[in-house]
Structures are given as C-alpha cells and as structure tokens.
C-alpha cells in the first residue's frame, strides 16, 4: 500500500544544508569498482517511444520520476561526467528515452535509461498522455529491465503520478525487479528534515531501499553507485 506524504516538508523554515557524510559501511574497493564502472558510461541511443528502442540482452536500470526531480543530473553525477545526460532548469527537458551503455574494457555489461519526467503542469494534455503510454509500456514490458531508480524531491513528496508508477511496477518488483528511491537535492534539507523524509518514504517503500542523494554535495553517490553495480552483477 502506498501512503501519501505530499507536502510534509512544506512548512519547515529555510534549511541549512545537510552535510555529506562518508559511507563507512561499504568497503572502499567496492566503491572504487562501482564508480570506475559507472564512469565508463557512454551514449547508446535515444528514442521517442518504446517501439524505437533496440532490444538489449543486458540488464537495464531506469531512472524515473517527476520532471525536474534531478534524473539527468543524477546520471551525470553517478557517471562522473558533465554532459552525458542533458540536465536543465527547465522542466520537461528530457523528452526521449535515452540509453547509456556501461562496462569495463569497452564491453558493455549494463544499460542506464534516462526517462522523460512527468507531472510538469505546463505540459499539454496530449503530451502527458503520450508520457503515460511511453512510461507504462516501458515499465511493464521492457524485458531486460533489471532495476528502477525513482527520483523524488522530498520537498514535494510522492505525487499522484509517482504513486501510479509504483502501482505499475509493483507486480514486477514482487517478481524480482530491483527498486531504489533516491530523495534528491538533499542539500536543500536540514539533517532533521532529511531523517524525517527517509523514515516516511521507507515506510512507503515497504522495506525497499531509500537513500538521500545530492548531486551538489555528492551525498549518497557512492552508495547508489555500489547498489546499481550489484544489481547489474548479481553473481559477484
Ligand atoms: N541543489 C540541487 N539541485 C539539483 C540537484 N540535482 C539536480 N538539481 C537541479 O535540478 C534541476 C533539474 O535537474 P535535471 O537533472 O534536469 O532533472 P530531470 O529529472 O532530468 O528533469 P526532466 O528531464 O525535466 O524530467 C537542474 O537545475 C539541476 O541543476 C541536487 O542534488 N541539488
Ligand atoms: Mg532529464
């Protein structure tokens, strides 16, 4: 069951940023391996809809979430590249499904997918419906989909469209699809706000992984990279 917590941080005063904390739990060599792997990311292809995406026989990890949540920025941060995915202040910037190959020694062993954001009010109705079709089709039928990273700005909370997305992927998560919620732009939260957002969304995610993430302060980057590496290499 998905509970609402929309706006739970809306009334808090202007925050002082939560500092990035080093992650003591993950061995440094695992982080090095994951970050080195991520850094190999390179553009593969871009398509306006699922039918135009090539089928790959590699585990694919999709970044989804509201427009402006920080999906493209997170991909750039995780891959330590400035302009791999196109990030912008203007919501609705990513309009295609963009695929990036990842793998050492020039052999791809996984794919990252940057998906168009949803929920931007100024988008015409027809474009919103198109998004729903593209996302729904992708999330339900993409055969090589191994994991989904839901990017959520905790200042806005999970929106109705996030909840629809959670409903859409729930059967696949129950069947083994990996799932991570990244609470983005955590540099805009105080430590207390960050802790509160984490505990609420952990409840909502039903025990699934939830992490604070800041591209600006590099918070949560090592942990997220290491988790995605494990998703793509379950045998290791
Ligand atoms: N302060 C702060 N700003 C961020 C962070 N991540 C992203 N942003 C900003 O948020 C805005 C949107 O980032 P994008 O990465 O383009 O967001 P998106 O989810 O890809 O957006 P769409 O492509 O429209 O779906 C940009 O102005 C980014 O600089 C972060 O960790 N901290
Ligand atoms: Mg984007």
């Amino acid at each position: 069951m998905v509970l609402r917590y929309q706006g739970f941080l809306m009334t808090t005063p202007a925050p002082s940023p939560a500092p990035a904390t080093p992650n003591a739990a993950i061995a440094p060599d695992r982080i090095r391996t994951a970050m080195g792997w991520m850094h190999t990311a390179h553009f593969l292809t871009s398509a306006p809809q699922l039918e135009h995406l090539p089928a790959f026989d590699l585990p694919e990890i999709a970044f989804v979430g509201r427009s402006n949540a920080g999906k493209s920025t997170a991909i750039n941060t995780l891959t330590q590249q400035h302009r791999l995915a196109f990030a912008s202040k203007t919501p609705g910037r990513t309009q295609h499904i963009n695929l990036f190959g990842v793998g050492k020694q020039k052999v791809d062993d996984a794919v990252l997918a940057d998906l168009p954001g949803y929920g931007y009010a100024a988008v015409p109705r027809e474009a919103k419906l198109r998004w729903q079709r593209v996302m729904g089709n992708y999330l339900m039928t993409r055969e090589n989909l191994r994991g989904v990273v839901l990017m959520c700005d905790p200042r806005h909370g999970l929106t109705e469209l996030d909840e629809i997305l959670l409903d859409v992927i729930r059967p696949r998560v129950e069947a083994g699809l990996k799932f991570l919620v990244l609470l983005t732009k955590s540099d805009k939260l105080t430590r207390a706000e960050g802790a509160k957002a984490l505990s609420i969304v952990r409840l909502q995610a039903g025990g699934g992984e939830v992490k604070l993430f800041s591209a600006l302060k590099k918070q949560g980057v090592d942990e997220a990279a290491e988790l995605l590496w494990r998703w793509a290499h379950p045998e290791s």
Side-chain angles (χ1 to χ4, degrees):
M1 190 180 65
V2 178
L3 304 170
R4 277 180 182 281
Y5 75 112
Q6 200 159 3
F8 72 97
L9 286 168
M10 303 290 272
T11 56
T12 52
S16 59
T21 47
N23 187 343
I26 306 174
D29 62 321
R30 294 193 71 95
I31 292 173
R32 253 196 316 277
T33 301
M35 292 301 283
W37 174 71
M38 276 286 182
H39 189 53
T40 64
H42 58 100
F43 178 75
L44 280 180
T45 189
S46 180
Q49 42 202 310
L50 188 60
E51 301 87 89
H52 301 137
L53 271 191
F56 286 113
D57 195 17
L58 293 174
E60 192 159 297
I61 297 170
F63 289 72
V64 300
R66 270 175 66 94
S67 202
N68 212 44
K71 299 175 290 298
S72 301
T73 306
I75 289 177
N76 289 338
T77 304
L78 286 163
T79 59
Q80 309 131 76
Q81 300 186 36
H82 286 301
R83 285 192 196 83
L84 183 63
F86 194 70
S88 167
K89 276 196 175 64
T90 315
R93 184 52 74 173
T94 306
Q95 301 203 335
H96 284 49
I97 299 175
N98 296 310
L99 299 186
F100 307 98
V102 205
K104 286 281 178 79
Q105 270 110 38
K106 295 195 175 5
V107 181
D108 290 343
D109 58 8
V111 175
L112 306 178
D114 185 15
L115 270 75
Y118 45 83
Y120 178 43
V123 172
R125 189 168 174 274
E126 182 43 43
K128 284 182 183 159
L129 293 175
R130 194 186 76 83
W131 168 83
Q132 284 174 19
R133 273 196 306 275
V134 173
M135 288 285 286
N137 282 344
Y138 174 89
L139 291 170
M140 283 188 288
T141 65
R142 185 74 171 160
E143 280 193 23
N144 59 325
L145 187 64
R146 172 73 54 87
V148 172
V149 181
L150 173 61
M151 311 287 302
C152 168
D153 184 333
R155 295 168 305 156
H156 301 302
L158 286 188
T159 66
E160 203 173 333
L161 287 169
D162 292 322
E163 291 180 10
I164 292 170
L165 183 143
L166 290 175
D167 284 341
V168 165
I169 64 170
R170 184 165 296 113
R172 291 195 73 174
V173 171
E174 283 164 5
L177 181 73
K178 308 292 187 191
F179 181 60
L180 167 68
V181 182
L182 286 184
L183 299 178
T184 60
K185 308 187 189 181
S186 66
D187 50 276
K188 293 180 186 278
L189 305 182
T190 62
R191 199 182 285 272
E193 288 170 338
K196 183 174 175 186
L198 265 182
S199 61
I200 291 172
V201 179
R202 279 193 177 128
L203 279 178
Q204 291 179 297
E209 297 263 9
V210 185
K211 294 180 190 303
L212 290 170
F213 188 90
S214 165
L216 200 70
K217 298 280 179 185
K218 305 283 182 282
Q219 184 182 19
V221 177
D222 290 352
E223 289 168 276
E226 202 271 339
L227 185 60
L228 300 196
W229 188 88
R230 275 192 280 130
W231 286 0
H233 307 92
E235 71 287 353
S236 309

